[in-house]
Amino acid sequence: MEDAKQTARPQYGMGQNVLYMLRTAWRTRKSVIALCAAQALLSVASAAVGMFFAPAALGAIETGAPLARLLGIIGAFSLALLLLGALAAYASANTEFGRIQVRMELFSRTMHKSATTALANAENPAFQEKSAKANAAMNSNAAAAEAIWDTLRQILENALGFLLYLSLLTALDPLLVAVTLATSAAGFFSAHRILGWGYRHRREEEKPLKRMEYVLNQAKNTALGKDLRIFSMRPWIEEVFSSARRAYHSFHARAGKRYFLADAIDALLALARNGIAYAYLIAKTLSGELTVAEFLLYFSAISGFTTWVTGILSSFTTLHRQSLELSTIREFWAYPEPLPLEGGETPPALRPGDACALELRDVSFRYPGAEKDVLSHINLTIAPGEKLAIVGLNGAGKTTLVKLLCGFYDPTGGEVRLNGRNIRPYNRPAYQALLGAVYQNFSLVPASIAQNVAQDLESFDRARVQNCLERAGLGNKIRSLPHGMDTHLVKEVYEDAEELSGGELQRLMLARALYKDAPILVLDEPTAALDPIAESDIYQKYREMTVGRTSIYISHRLASTRFCDRILLLADGKIAEEGTHEALMAKGGEYARLFEIQSRYYREGGEDDGGSNASE
Ligand code: ADP
């Protein structure tokens, strides 16, 4: 189905993709194109020299040429072949590096798209599928993004060979050319159609294979061993297996007949072609129109010609497939962005301390492809400098609400406003520059601690980094490291990297948010098991950093939200309750109930949060 969809409507045609690759190579490494052409020329030249070799030697013998001349001919041809072979080997040895470089060019564009695309895309399964397909089309030397050069070389080589042999054979008899051309093409297309049957019916082959694989895995699975025995499932399992095996064999028997047919047709056509050519050439030789040497030359030209014709056709088939894959890569790059990542309006230039009021006006939201709204008709105003906590059970929509406030998604209904203006038209990176955030899931850049804090690889203020690290409670840790804030992070990339603990990483993210010094703060509390002392210290840091800033704090631990001015309890995509901790407790509603369960749980030393949210 998917393949059919993909084959039916690639966004970029074969010509466009070939041109694109040529242009990319021209920009990145011109030698890729030159070497391709050189390889094709050398290969055709080598085939032509090979073809003339025997007839030339035979011709010399036929005409009774002196031995020296015969040896001279043999020597010249051998030398030419040797030289061409050496040049071809040289070209081939030098071609790989450039091709990889061109492929890496495609890689970097793909990476750029993945890294910069809207979160709405990154979380969308359709986008993820496209991304996986695009990656598959360039993740190895044999993938389309690199293998296409071989195909283009083959097409050029076969086309040149075709033209050369065509001119030679046309001089002899155009009719003979027509017969050879027709039988070669007929052979190719019949084989192609028949072999295509296997591709069209591949599901029939996959289905029993998958069933057999499943049954085999089940049978091997020791965990299921008890079930299998107690419930006497063995005969049933065996029956499923053998019926799948029968289906598989019957498919192969049918396929085998078709493949045999393909071979038989090909053999018959080759017989007809060679029979006609033989008869024609023998007649001409007997009547004295052709010398024996010419007979040999033309005969091998005919079989060579067939090879060029089928070569052209089959390399175009390969090119077609590779073009579909390249189209997937380019479709991925062109995947539409739902938000103004580039362009758009410039949001107001707000500094820390400037008044920032956020508002959700009748906001509803539904994820692409989902059946129901995650948030419905939410009205919420966050006053400048207010600290708002959002609590609620897992799946209540807290993270989604924050994603809307951060401008990662646009609401499906209503407006998100900053100081009274809808944020929808704002350039998103510029809007997000106004936000500082500490998320539960964060990414580390394989660089130094300081570079991670500053989010800048080149220039940053060391004193400020140090100050932020101190304020986040990492001062002692940094002093204990031999390279201090210049210590590398991410072991997979740097051998000497330092591995920070969960709590330390959380503090690092805090330092990062402090360094950014944005007017709006989003704190998505970690669920990582921090020990209670570290946790209370982190809460204290949050409290300090939110002073004077509009902040939104998501928490699964209700007791930790006390530093906030207002608490919002989300349930079923709606604001179920809101107010200060005291007011909500006094109200004795859902918040009070959850708070009671949680505090009992913590008093009893539980490790989880008693059914309350463990956000994601
Ligand atoms: P919370 O943060 O309160 O745990 P979320 O906002 O993460 O809740 O999730 C709210 C609902 O939205 C859940 O039912 C979740 O399954 C769904 N959801 C979250 N993210 C996505 C997504 N990217 N695509 C589709 N559904 C999602």
Side-chain angles (χ1 to χ4, degrees), residues 375-380 389-393 396 398 401 567-579 584 587-592 594:
L375 299 172
S376 62
H377 304 287
I378 301 244
N379 283 297
L380 168 70
I390 305 177
V391 298
L393 293 180
K398 304 183 292 298
L401 194 150
I567 298 167
L568 202 97
L569 176 74
L570 271 191
D572 294 332
K574 294 201 172 60
I575 300 174
E577 289 173 21
E578 66 181 301
L584 289 173
K587 188 173 168 205
E590 182 64 9
Y591 178 87
L594 287 175

PDB file of all heavy atoms in Angstrom, residues 375-380 389-393 396 398 401 567-579 584 587-592 594:
ATOM      1  N   LEU A 375      -7.318  19.782  25.030  1.00  0.00           N
ATOM      2  CA  LEU A 375      -7.720  20.945  25.826  1.00  0.00           C
ATOM      3  C   LEU A 375      -8.980  21.505  25.195  1.00  0.00           C
ATOM      4  O   LEU A 375      -9.080  21.566  23.964  1.00  0.00           O
ATOM      5  CB  LEU A 375      -6.625  22.016  25.789  1.00  0.00           C
ATOM      6  CG  LEU A 375      -5.263  21.614  26.353  1.00  0.00           C
ATOM      7  CD1 LEU A 375      -4.237  22.709  26.063  1.00  0.00           C
ATOM      8  CD2 LEU A 375      -5.350  21.359  27.856  1.00  0.00           C
ATOM      9  N   SER A 376      -9.952  21.896  26.023  1.00  0.00           N
ATOM     10  CA  SER A 376     -11.129  22.483  25.388  1.00  0.00           C
ATOM     11  C   SER A 376     -11.560  23.761  26.105  1.00  0.00           C
ATOM     12  O   SER A 376     -11.735  23.790  27.323  1.00  0.00           O
ATOM     13  CB  SER A 376     -12.262  21.462  25.298  1.00  0.00           C
ATOM     14  OG  SER A 376     -12.647  21.053  26.575  1.00  0.00           O
ATOM     15  N   HIS A 377     -11.644  24.799  25.294  1.00  0.00           N
ATOM     16  CA  HIS A 377     -12.141  26.122  25.719  1.00  0.00           C
ATOM     17  C   HIS A 377     -11.522  26.602  27.024  1.00  0.00           C
ATOM     18  O   HIS A 377     -12.214  26.882  27.990  1.00  0.00           O
ATOM     19  CB  HIS A 377     -13.669  26.097  25.820  1.00  0.00           C
ATOM     20  CG  HIS A 377     -14.298  25.675  24.532  1.00  0.00           C
ATOM     21  ND1 HIS A 377     -14.340  26.490  23.428  1.00  0.00           N
ATOM     22  CD2 HIS A 377     -14.855  24.500  24.157  1.00  0.00           C
ATOM     23  CE1 HIS A 377     -14.916  25.847  22.425  1.00  0.00           C
ATOM     24  NE2 HIS A 377     -15.235  24.638  22.839  1.00  0.00           N
ATOM     25  N   ILE A 378     -10.206  26.680  27.010  1.00  0.00           N
ATOM     26  CA  ILE A 378      -9.510  27.136  28.215  1.00  0.00           C
ATOM     27  C   ILE A 378      -9.376  28.654  28.194  1.00  0.00           C
ATOM     28  O   ILE A 378      -8.946  29.227  27.187  1.00  0.00           O
ATOM     29  CB  ILE A 378      -8.104  26.507  28.299  1.00  0.00           C
ATOM     30  CG1 ILE A 378      -8.224  24.994  28.324  1.00  0.00           C
ATOM     31  CG2 ILE A 378      -7.292  27.097  29.446  1.00  0.00           C
ATOM     32  CD1 ILE A 378      -7.754  24.325  29.561  1.00  0.00           C
ATOM     33  N   ASN A 379      -9.744  29.284  29.267  1.00  0.00           N
ATOM     34  CA  ASN A 379      -9.521  30.721  29.426  1.00  0.00           C
ATOM     35  C   ASN A 379      -8.633  30.920  30.637  1.00  0.00           C
ATOM     36  O   ASN A 379      -8.949  30.438  31.721  1.00  0.00           O
ATOM     37  CB  ASN A 379     -10.849  31.446  29.631  1.00  0.00           C
ATOM     38  CG  ASN A 379     -11.573  31.589  28.304  1.00  0.00           C
ATOM     39  OD1 ASN A 379     -11.085  32.255  27.388  1.00  0.00           O
ATOM     40  ND2 ASN A 379     -12.705  30.914  28.176  1.00  0.00           N
ATOM     41  N   LEU A 380      -7.516  31.579  30.395  1.00  0.00           N
ATOM     42  CA  LEU A 380      -6.543  31.711  31.476  1.00  0.00           C
ATOM     43  C   LEU A 380      -5.702  32.956  31.248  1.00  0.00           C
ATOM     44  O   LEU A 380      -5.220  33.186  30.140  1.00  0.00           O
ATOM     45  CB  LEU A 380      -5.640  30.457  31.454  1.00  0.00           C
ATOM     46  CG  LEU A 380      -4.373  30.483  32.292  1.00  0.00           C
ATOM     47  CD1 LEU A 380      -4.723  30.427  33.765  1.00  0.00           C
ATOM     48  CD2 LEU A 380      -3.485  29.282  31.939  1.00  0.00           C
ATOM     49  N   ALA A 389       1.285  27.677  38.935  1.00  0.00           N
ATOM     50  CA  ALA A 389       1.591  26.244  38.936  1.00  0.00           C
ATOM     51  C   ALA A 389       0.475  25.510  38.220  1.00  0.00           C
ATOM     52  O   ALA A 389      -0.693  25.865  38.361  1.00  0.00           O
ATOM     53  CB  ALA A 389       1.696  25.740  40.368  1.00  0.00           C
ATOM     54  N   ILE A 390       0.850  24.522  37.424  1.00  0.00           N
ATOM     55  CA  ILE A 390      -0.173  23.702  36.774  1.00  0.00           C
ATOM     56  C   ILE A 390      -0.007  22.282  37.288  1.00  0.00           C
ATOM     57  O   ILE A 390       1.070  21.689  37.149  1.00  0.00           O
ATOM     58  CB  ILE A 390      -0.033  23.734  35.244  1.00  0.00           C
ATOM     59  CG1 ILE A 390      -0.057  25.181  34.749  1.00  0.00           C
ATOM     60  CG2 ILE A 390      -1.135  22.932  34.585  1.00  0.00           C
ATOM     61  CD1 ILE A 390       0.137  25.315  33.262  1.00  0.00           C
ATOM     62  N   VAL A 391      -1.040  21.761  37.894  1.00  0.00           N
ATOM     63  CA  VAL A 391      -0.967  20.388  38.388  1.00  0.00           C
ATOM     64  C   VAL A 391      -2.116  19.593  37.765  1.00  0.00           C
ATOM     65  O   VAL A 391      -3.022  20.154  37.158  1.00  0.00           O
ATOM     66  CB  VAL A 391      -1.059  20.325  39.932  1.00  0.00           C
ATOM     67  CG1 VAL A 391       0.093  21.066  40.583  1.00  0.00           C
ATOM     68  CG2 VAL A 391      -2.384  20.880  40.422  1.00  0.00           C
ATOM     69  N   GLY A 392      -2.063  18.296  37.944  1.00  0.00           N
ATOM     70  CA  GLY A 392      -3.122  17.460  37.388  1.00  0.00           C
ATOM     71  C   GLY A 392      -2.605  16.071  37.162  1.00  0.00           C
ATOM     72  O   GLY A 392      -1.387  15.849  37.153  1.00  0.00           O
ATOM     73  N   LEU A 393      -3.519  15.139  36.961  1.00  0.00           N
ATOM     74  CA  LEU A 393      -3.121  13.750  36.781  1.00  0.00           C
ATOM     75  C   LEU A 393      -2.404  13.585  35.453  1.00  0.00           C
ATOM     76  O   LEU A 393      -2.474  14.453  34.582  1.00  0.00           O
ATOM     77  CB  LEU A 393      -4.355  12.847  36.810  1.00  0.00           C
ATOM     78  CG  LEU A 393      -5.084  12.752  38.143  1.00  0.00           C
ATOM     79  CD1 LEU A 393      -6.277  11.822  38.012  1.00  0.00           C
ATOM     80  CD2 LEU A 393      -4.135  12.229  39.229  1.00  0.00           C
ATOM     81  N   ALA A 396      -3.516  14.825  31.772  1.00  0.00           N
ATOM     82  CA  ALA A 396      -4.529  15.874  31.929  1.00  0.00           C
ATOM     83  C   ALA A 396      -4.355  16.984  30.891  1.00  0.00           C
ATOM     84  O   ALA A 396      -5.293  17.727  30.613  1.00  0.00           O
ATOM     85  CB  ALA A 396      -4.451  16.467  33.330  1.00  0.00           C
ATOM     86  N   LYS A 398      -1.293  19.018  30.830  1.00  0.00           N
ATOM     87  CA  LYS A 398      -0.395  20.063  31.346  1.00  0.00           C
ATOM     88  C   LYS A 398       0.702  20.388  30.338  1.00  0.00           C
ATOM     89  O   LYS A 398       0.929  21.550  30.003  1.00  0.00           O
ATOM     90  CB  LYS A 398       0.259  19.612  32.672  1.00  0.00           C
ATOM     91  CG  LYS A 398      -0.721  19.232  33.749  1.00  0.00           C
ATOM     92  CD  LYS A 398      -0.026  18.864  35.038  1.00  0.00           C
ATOM     93  CE  LYS A 398       0.782  17.584  34.975  1.00  0.00           C
ATOM     94  NZ  LYS A 398       0.002  16.379  34.690  1.00  0.00           N
ATOM     95  N   LEU A 401      -0.589  22.156  27.310  1.00  0.00           N
ATOM     96  CA  LEU A 401      -0.876  23.565  27.556  1.00  0.00           C
ATOM     97  C   LEU A 401       0.415  24.390  27.480  1.00  0.00           C
ATOM     98  O   LEU A 401       0.457  25.467  26.875  1.00  0.00           O
ATOM     99  CB  LEU A 401      -1.535  23.697  28.930  1.00  0.00           C
ATOM    100  CG  LEU A 401      -2.209  25.027  29.239  1.00  0.00           C
ATOM    101  CD1 LEU A 401      -3.370  24.792  30.190  1.00  0.00           C
ATOM    102  CD2 LEU A 401      -1.260  26.020  29.832  1.00  0.00           C
ATOM    103  N   ILE A 567      -2.470  28.185  41.791  1.00  0.00           N
ATOM    104  CA  ILE A 567      -2.361  26.797  41.343  1.00  0.00           C
ATOM    105  C   ILE A 567      -3.573  26.492  40.464  1.00  0.00           C
ATOM    106  O   ILE A 567      -4.690  26.891  40.769  1.00  0.00           O
ATOM    107  CB  ILE A 567      -2.317  25.835  42.548  1.00  0.00           C
ATOM    108  CG1 ILE A 567      -1.089  26.131  43.404  1.00  0.00           C
ATOM    109  CG2 ILE A 567      -2.295  24.387  42.082  1.00  0.00           C
ATOM    110  CD1 ILE A 567      -1.103  25.465  44.754  1.00  0.00           C
ATOM    111  N   LEU A 568      -3.274  25.779  39.392  1.00  0.00           N
ATOM    112  CA  LEU A 568      -4.329  25.449  38.440  1.00  0.00           C
ATOM    113  C   LEU A 568      -4.400  23.935  38.360  1.00  0.00           C
ATOM    114  O   LEU A 568      -3.385  23.290  38.087  1.00  0.00           O
ATOM    115  CB  LEU A 568      -3.864  26.008  37.100  1.00  0.00           C
ATOM    116  CG  LEU A 568      -4.869  26.276  36.050  1.00  0.00           C
ATOM    117  CD1 LEU A 568      -5.210  27.748  36.121  1.00  0.00           C
ATOM    118  CD2 LEU A 568      -4.241  25.976  34.724  1.00  0.00           C
ATOM    119  N   LEU A 569      -5.554  23.377  38.601  1.00  0.00           N
ATOM    120  CA  LEU A 569      -5.676  21.927  38.490  1.00  0.00           C
ATOM    121  C   LEU A 569      -6.358  21.608  37.167  1.00  0.00           C
ATOM    122  O   LEU A 569      -7.495  22.016  36.927  1.00  0.00           O
ATOM    123  CB  LEU A 569      -6.501  21.374  39.655  1.00  0.00           C
ATOM    124  CG  LEU A 569      -6.766  19.868  39.581  1.00  0.00           C
ATOM    125  CD1 LEU A 569      -5.506  19.077  39.910  1.00  0.00           C
ATOM    126  CD2 LEU A 569      -7.892  19.467  40.524  1.00  0.00           C
ATOM    127  N   LEU A 570      -5.633  20.913  36.307  1.00  0.00           N
ATOM    128  CA  LEU A 570      -6.212  20.536  35.009  1.00  0.00           C
ATOM    129  C   LEU A 570      -6.800  19.141  35.123  1.00  0.00           C
ATOM    130  O   LEU A 570      -6.183  18.252  35.720  1.00  0.00           O
ATOM    131  CB  LEU A 570      -5.129  20.491  33.943  1.00  0.00           C
ATOM    132  CG  LEU A 570      -4.770  21.737  33.150  1.00  0.00           C
ATOM    133  CD1 LEU A 570      -3.870  21.339  31.990  1.00  0.00           C
ATOM    134  CD2 LEU A 570      -6.017  22.425  32.606  1.00  0.00           C
ATOM    135  N   ALA A 571      -7.962  18.959  34.550  1.00  0.00           N
ATOM    136  CA  ALA A 571      -8.541  17.617  34.469  1.00  0.00           C
ATOM    137  C   ALA A 571      -9.390  17.547  33.221  1.00  0.00           C
ATOM    138  O   ALA A 571     -10.148  18.479  32.939  1.00  0.00           O
ATOM    139  CB  ALA A 571      -9.385  17.341  35.708  1.00  0.00           C
ATOM    140  N   ASP A 572      -9.195  16.481  32.449  1.00  0.00           N
ATOM    141  CA  ASP A 572      -9.956  16.284  31.207  1.00  0.00           C
ATOM    142  C   ASP A 572      -9.911  17.491  30.285  1.00  0.00           C
ATOM    143  O   ASP A 572     -10.926  17.883  29.709  1.00  0.00           O
ATOM    144  CB  ASP A 572     -11.429  15.966  31.539  1.00  0.00           C
ATOM    145  CG  ASP A 572     -11.544  14.630  32.240  1.00  0.00           C
ATOM    146  OD1 ASP A 572     -10.667  13.778  31.989  1.00  0.00           O
ATOM    147  OD2 ASP A 572     -12.471  14.469  33.058  1.00  0.00           O
ATOM    148  N   GLY A 573      -8.753  18.082  30.188  1.00  0.00           N
ATOM    149  CA  GLY A 573      -8.587  19.187  29.249  1.00  0.00           C
ATOM    150  C   GLY A 573      -9.267  20.481  29.677  1.00  0.00           C
ATOM    151  O   GLY A 573      -9.429  21.394  28.867  1.00  0.00           O
ATOM    152  N   LYS A 574      -9.682  20.532  30.919  1.00  0.00           N
ATOM    153  CA  LYS A 574     -10.337  21.764  31.401  1.00  0.00           C
ATOM    154  C   LYS A 574      -9.679  22.191  32.707  1.00  0.00           C
ATOM    155  O   LYS A 574      -9.020  21.393  33.370  1.00  0.00           O
ATOM    156  CB  LYS A 574     -11.814  21.504  31.677  1.00  0.00           C
ATOM    157  CG  LYS A 574     -12.620  21.191  30.435  1.00  0.00           C
ATOM    158  CD  LYS A 574     -14.091  21.451  30.712  1.00  0.00           C
ATOM    159  CE  LYS A 574     -14.943  21.338  29.474  1.00  0.00           C
ATOM    160  NZ  LYS A 574     -14.906  20.019  28.827  1.00  0.00           N
ATOM    161  N   ILE A 575      -9.892  23.469  33.065  1.00  0.00           N
ATOM    162  CA  ILE A 575      -9.404  23.918  34.363  1.00  0.00           C
ATOM    163  C   ILE A 575     -10.451  23.480  35.394  1.00  0.00           C
ATOM    164  O   ILE A 575     -11.579  23.989  35.395  1.00  0.00           O
ATOM    165  CB  ILE A 575      -9.222  25.446  34.397  1.00  0.00           C
ATOM    166  CG1 ILE A 575      -8.203  25.844  33.314  1.00  0.00           C
ATOM    167  CG2 ILE A 575      -8.770  25.903  35.779  1.00  0.00           C
ATOM    168  CD1 ILE A 575      -8.027  27.327  33.143  1.00  0.00           C
ATOM    169  N   ALA A 576     -10.075  22.497  36.212  1.00  0.00           N
ATOM    170  CA  ALA A 576     -11.055  21.964  37.157  1.00  0.00           C
ATOM    171  C   ALA A 576     -11.153  22.850  38.394  1.00  0.00           C
ATOM    172  O   ALA A 576     -12.247  23.131  38.881  1.00  0.00           O
ATOM    173  CB  ALA A 576     -10.680  20.546  37.544  1.00  0.00           C
ATOM    174  N   GLU A 577      -9.984  23.295  38.881  1.00  0.00           N
ATOM    175  CA  GLU A 577      -9.982  24.156  40.067  1.00  0.00           C
ATOM    176  C   GLU A 577      -8.829  25.124  39.939  1.00  0.00           C
ATOM    177  O   GLU A 577      -7.816  24.803  39.321  1.00  0.00           O
ATOM    178  CB  GLU A 577      -9.768  23.308  41.335  1.00  0.00           C
ATOM    179  CG  GLU A 577     -10.967  22.433  41.692  1.00  0.00           C
ATOM    180  CD  GLU A 577     -10.673  21.479  42.844  1.00  0.00           C
ATOM    181  OE1 GLU A 577      -9.730  21.743  43.626  1.00  0.00           O
ATOM    182  OE2 GLU A 577     -11.386  20.469  42.943  1.00  0.00           O
ATOM    183  N   GLU A 578      -8.960  26.302  40.547  1.00  0.00           N
ATOM    184  CA  GLU A 578      -7.799  27.193  40.603  1.00  0.00           C
ATOM    185  C   GLU A 578      -7.859  28.082  41.838  1.00  0.00           C
ATOM    186  O   GLU A 578      -8.939  28.349  42.366  1.00  0.00           O
ATOM    187  CB  GLU A 578      -7.648  28.029  39.337  1.00  0.00           C
ATOM    188  CG  GLU A 578      -8.721  29.029  39.059  1.00  0.00           C
ATOM    189  CD  GLU A 578      -8.447  29.773  37.754  1.00  0.00           C
ATOM    190  OE1 GLU A 578      -7.395  30.419  37.646  1.00  0.00           O
ATOM    191  OE2 GLU A 578      -9.302  29.701  36.849  1.00  0.00           O
ATOM    192  N   GLY A 579      -6.687  28.499  42.293  1.00  0.00           N
ATOM    193  CA  GLY A 579      -6.616  29.332  43.490  1.00  0.00           C
ATOM    194  C   GLY A 579      -5.294  29.108  44.192  1.00  0.00           C
ATOM    195  O   GLY A 579      -4.417  28.400  43.680  1.00  0.00           O
ATOM    196  N   LEU A 584      -7.522  26.321  47.856  1.00  0.00           N
ATOM    197  CA  LEU A 584      -7.917  25.028  47.284  1.00  0.00           C
ATOM    198  C   LEU A 584      -8.096  23.975  48.377  1.00  0.00           C
ATOM    199  O   LEU A 584      -8.983  23.123  48.287  1.00  0.00           O
ATOM    200  CB  LEU A 584      -6.877  24.565  46.257  1.00  0.00           C
ATOM    201  CG  LEU A 584      -6.867  25.369  44.948  1.00  0.00           C
ATOM    202  CD1 LEU A 584      -5.705  24.950  44.075  1.00  0.00           C
ATOM    203  CD2 LEU A 584      -8.185  25.184  44.188  1.00  0.00           C
ATOM    204  N   LYS A 587     -11.277  24.590  50.082  1.00  0.00           N
ATOM    205  CA  LYS A 587     -12.420  24.226  49.238  1.00  0.00           C
ATOM    206  C   LYS A 587     -12.772  22.742  49.375  1.00  0.00           C
ATOM    207  O   LYS A 587     -13.921  22.326  49.197  1.00  0.00           O
ATOM    208  CB  LYS A 587     -12.056  24.549  47.785  1.00  0.00           C
ATOM    209  CG  LYS A 587     -13.180  24.412  46.822  1.00  0.00           C
ATOM    210  CD  LYS A 587     -12.753  24.913  45.457  1.00  0.00           C
ATOM    211  CE  LYS A 587     -13.800  24.493  44.436  1.00  0.00           C
ATOM    212  NZ  LYS A 587     -13.256  24.395  43.111  1.00  0.00           N
ATOM    213  N   GLY A 588     -11.714  21.953  49.693  1.00  0.00           N
ATOM    214  CA  GLY A 588     -11.958  20.524  49.924  1.00  0.00           C
ATOM    215  C   GLY A 588     -12.378  19.758  48.673  1.00  0.00           C
ATOM    216  O   GLY A 588     -13.102  18.779  48.748  1.00  0.00           O
ATOM    217  N   GLY A 589     -11.931  20.208  47.527  1.00  0.00           N
ATOM    218  CA  GLY A 589     -12.290  19.531  46.273  1.00  0.00           C
ATOM    219  C   GLY A 589     -11.250  18.500  45.855  1.00  0.00           C
ATOM    220  O   GLY A 589     -10.590  17.881  46.694  1.00  0.00           O
ATOM    221  N   GLU A 590     -11.090  18.379  44.525  1.00  0.00           N
ATOM    222  CA  GLU A 590     -10.183  17.373  43.950  1.00  0.00           C
ATOM    223  C   GLU A 590      -8.726  17.635  44.363  1.00  0.00           C
ATOM    224  O   GLU A 590      -7.987  16.722  44.693  1.00  0.00           O
ATOM    225  CB  GLU A 590     -10.338  17.414  42.421  1.00  0.00           C
ATOM    226  CG  GLU A 590      -9.517  16.419  41.649  1.00  0.00           C
ATOM    227  CD  GLU A 590      -9.887  14.966  41.915  1.00  0.00           C
ATOM    228  OE1 GLU A 590     -10.919  14.722  42.585  1.00  0.00           O
ATOM    229  OE2 GLU A 590      -9.133  14.083  41.492  1.00  0.00           O
ATOM    230  N   TYR A 591      -8.343  18.940  44.351  1.00  0.00           N
ATOM    231  CA  TYR A 591      -6.968  19.281  44.725  1.00  0.00           C
ATOM    232  C   TYR A 591      -6.686  18.813  46.153  1.00  0.00           C
ATOM    233  O   TYR A 591      -5.670  18.166  46.423  1.00  0.00           O
ATOM    234  CB  TYR A 591      -6.751  20.795  44.606  1.00  0.00           C
ATOM    235  CG  TYR A 591      -5.368  21.240  45.032  1.00  0.00           C
ATOM    236  CD1 TYR A 591      -4.307  21.250  44.122  1.00  0.00           C
ATOM    237  CD2 TYR A 591      -5.115  21.632  46.341  1.00  0.00           C
ATOM    238  CE1 TYR A 591      -3.033  21.637  44.505  1.00  0.00           C
ATOM    239  CE2 TYR A 591      -3.838  22.021  46.746  1.00  0.00           C
ATOM    240  CZ  TYR A 591      -2.806  22.025  45.827  1.00  0.00           C
ATOM    241  OH  TYR A 591      -1.552  22.398  46.209  1.00  0.00           O
ATOM    242  N   ALA A 592      -7.598  19.132  47.053  1.00  0.00           N
ATOM    243  CA  ALA A 592      -7.409  18.763  48.459  1.00  0.00           C
ATOM    244  C   ALA A 592      -7.308  17.242  48.590  1.00  0.00           C
ATOM    245  O   ALA A 592      -6.474  16.722  49.337  1.00  0.00           O
ATOM    246  CB  ALA A 592      -8.571  19.290  49.291  1.00  0.00           C
ATOM    247  N   LEU A 594      -6.295  15.051  46.258  1.00  0.00           N
ATOM    248  CA  LEU A 594      -5.002  14.596  45.724  1.00  0.00           C
ATOM    249  C   LEU A 594      -3.880  14.939  46.687  1.00  0.00           C
ATOM    250  O   LEU A 594      -2.957  14.148  46.906  1.00  0.00           O
ATOM    251  CB  LEU A 594      -4.725  15.247  44.364  1.00  0.00           C
ATOM    252  CG  LEU A 594      -5.551  14.735  43.198  1.00  0.00           C
ATOM    253  CD1 LEU A 594      -5.257  15.548  41.945  1.00  0.00           C
ATOM    254  CD2 LEU A 594      -5.232  13.257  42.942  1.00  0.00           C
TER     255      LEU A 594
END
